[in-house]
Amino acid sequence: MVALDEIADASRREADRAHRLRLEGLVEDIRKTIQGPSSAKEKVAWIRELLAVQGDHAEE
């Protein structure tokens, strides 16, 4: 049983790591968008698109 628990723990850690890396990438993309030369309206549209691609959404 211990081996199965260790496998489950390792799987959860890997899933957590993958989720964290995805979020870090998303944050970096949003930072780049905010720092870009586009208008505020275009930036909001790009950020919404970035969130949609990740399966998230933005509410006004």
Side-chain angles (χ1 to χ4, degrees), residues 6 11-12 14-16 24 26 29-30 41 47 56 60:
E6 289 174 7
S11 179
R12 278 191 294 273
E14 183 59 30
D16 289 345
E24 287 173 355
L26 177 61
D29 289 344
I30 290 173
K41 186 175 181 177
I47 291 170
D56 300 317
E60 292 184 30

Side-chain angles (χ1 to χ4, degrees), residues 4-52:
L4 292 177
D5 290 341
E6 289 174 7
I7 292 170
D9 288 345
S11 179
R12 278 191 294 273
R13 282 192 304 273
E14 183 59 30
D16 289 345
R17 180 180 171 278
H19 182 67
R20 181 178 44 84
L21 290 173
R22 180 185 72 84
L23 290 176
E24 287 173 355
L26 177 61
V27 168
E28 185 60 30
D29 289 344
I30 290 173
R31 280 188 185 137
K32 288 177 184 177
T33 299
I34 291 170
Q35 293 172 350
S38 303
S39 69
K41 186 175 181 177
E42 290 172 332
K43 288 178 183 181
V44 168
W46 274 109
I47 291 170
R48 285 186 176 172
E49 184 65 28
L50 289 169
L51 291 171

